Amino acid sequence: MLELKNIKKHYHPGTVNEVRLFEDFNLAIPDHQFVSVVGSNGSGKTSMLNLICGSIAADGGQILVNGEDISRKKDFERQRAIGRVFQDPSKGTCPSMTILENMSIADHKGKGYGLGKGKNKNKSGQYQELLRSLNLGLEDKLEVKAGSLSGGQRQALALLMATMAPIEFLILDEHTAALDPKTAETVMELTGKIVEQKQVTTIMVTHNLRYAVEYGDRLLMMHQGAAVLDCAGEEKAKLKVEGILQIFNEISIECGN
């Protein structure tokens, strides 16, 4: 169970540019739930992910994992239980290292490295099988540097690497936004398969309303640091893109846009 309790977050406090984004924000996500998060720019979507991952600190409140307060833990400590895929495909892999080297590092997440070689060629066959599941022809490119791959290939590889080691949470920060439509579909299909197979608690921020409706078993719509829509289970299954878009438009009109 992931819980955000009475979270406060202010940007540029004490200045004319002060933004009080979160004021006593609360959210509870049960184990194995797949949550899609939508909302306009500045609504708090990415800030919420950054708070969970420890990239930024809350000004108040608690972040609990199975009842344990992790609010004071550093980001690198939290990453042992979190796999994160960013919008920029280049952030999920090391471009100067080969696919084999990248996967070896991901495979050893949370483990001691010692003084031996960083990559284990004995696992090449296992890595090839994982890559074959992507259907992108990467299984025969273990010695190719990640920087030479296309954006879609790198993002698919980053998604695979994020879930190689056991994790409790998968954080997807607009991970298809920088991809062309066809590649985005491929990455989303892979996302659905991985989440189902791993049964990992997942939070996916997306601007694609169709993905938000089609994927996951819960949908949150954020606005000005609050969840203005929270649907799960059968209620979420009944949602249509048109309905979500209508709510977006209503909020936009209320804000004078």
Side-chain angles (χ1 to χ4, degrees):
M1 170 77 80
L2 172 66
E3 298 175 275
L4 281 67
K5 287 190 172 182
N6 307 118
I7 294 296
K8 292 180 173 60
K9 182 60 187 176
H10 301 169
Y11 289 100
H12 314 297
T15 72
V16 294
N17 296 318
E18 181 174 1
V19 175
R20 294 174 175 264
L21 181 59
F22 290 119
E23 291 286 352
D24 294 321
F25 178 71
N26 293 278
L27 178 67
I29 301 177
D31 292 342
H32 313 308
Q33 193 169 65
F34 185 169
V35 185
S36 297
V37 183
V38 298
S40 58
N41 292 333
S43 62
K45 305 183 304 298
T46 296
S47 289
M48 179 179 68
L49 299 186
N50 286 333
L51 285 165
I52 293 170
C53 293
S55 303
I56 59 175
D59 298 319
Q62 294 178 301
I63 300 174
L64 306 175
V65 175
N66 299 323
E68 178 190 357
D69 189 354
I70 65 168
S71 303
R72 296 186 180 277
K73 284 190 174 183
K74 301 294 185 181
D75 55 354
F76 68 87
E77 295 177 298
R78 302 188 199 187
Q79 295 312 307
R80 294 167 184 160
I82 296 174
R84 187 171 185 176
V85 184
F86 296 88
Q87 177 178 337
D88 184 352
S90 67
K91 288 187 176 182
T93 57
C94 181
S96 62
M97 299 175 68
T98 66
I99 292 177
L100 175 60
E101 290 168 336
N102 271 277
M103 294 183 74
S104 295
I105 289 177
D107 197 14
H108 282 80
K109 180 178 179 178
K111 304 174 185 176
Y113 282 86
L115 298 176
K117 293 182 178 179
K119 62 181 181 180
N120 185 351
K121 289 193 174 183
N122 292 330
K123 285 197 171 184
S124 295
Q126 178 183 333
Y127 295 162
Q128 283 181 312
E129 287 304 309
L130 289 173
L131 291 168
R132 188 171 285 111
S133 68
L134 302 180
N135 293 316
L136 294 173
L138 297 179
E139 59 271 16
D140 296 322
K141 298 182 178 181
L142 284 178
E143 296 300 334
V144 172
K145 290 187 177 181
S148 67
L149 304 178
S150 69
Q153 289 174 323
R154 288 186 72 172
Q155 197 69 318
L157 177 60
L159 179 59
L160 186 65
M161 289 168 54
T163 56
M164 285 180 67
I167 55 173
E168 294 185 51
F169 306 103
L170 176 60
I171 303 296
L172 305 172
D173 190 359
E174 298 184 45
H175 69 310
T176 62
L179 307 178
D180 65 77
K182 182 178 179 181
T183 306
E185 291 289 339
T186 299
V187 171
M188 276 309 307
E189 289 175 6
L190 174 64
T191 300
K193 290 178 182 178
I194 287 178
V195 173
E196 183 177 358
Q197 291 172 357
K198 302 282 187 176
Q199 287 294 296
V200 60
T201 306
T202 303
I203 307 173
M204 178 181 74
V205 166
T206 179
H207 280 296
N208 189 307
L209 298 184
R210 181 169 66 81
Y211 292 161
V213 168
E214 292 182 0
Y215 290 86
D217 42 28
R218 183 178 178 184
L219 185 144
L220 291 179
M221 181 182 289
M222 302 290 294
H223 178 61
Q224 295 181 347
V228 296
L229 179 67
D230 188 350
C231 299
E234 293 184 6
E235 184 181 9
K236 197 269 183 183
K238 294 178 182 177
L239 289 176
K240 303 294 183 183
V241 173
E242 294 78 11
I244 302 297
L245 185 58
Q246 181 179 349
I247 297 174
F248 256 120
N249 291 335
E250 290 173 355
I251 291 175
S252 181
I253 292 173
E254 289 176 4
C255 293
N257 297 325

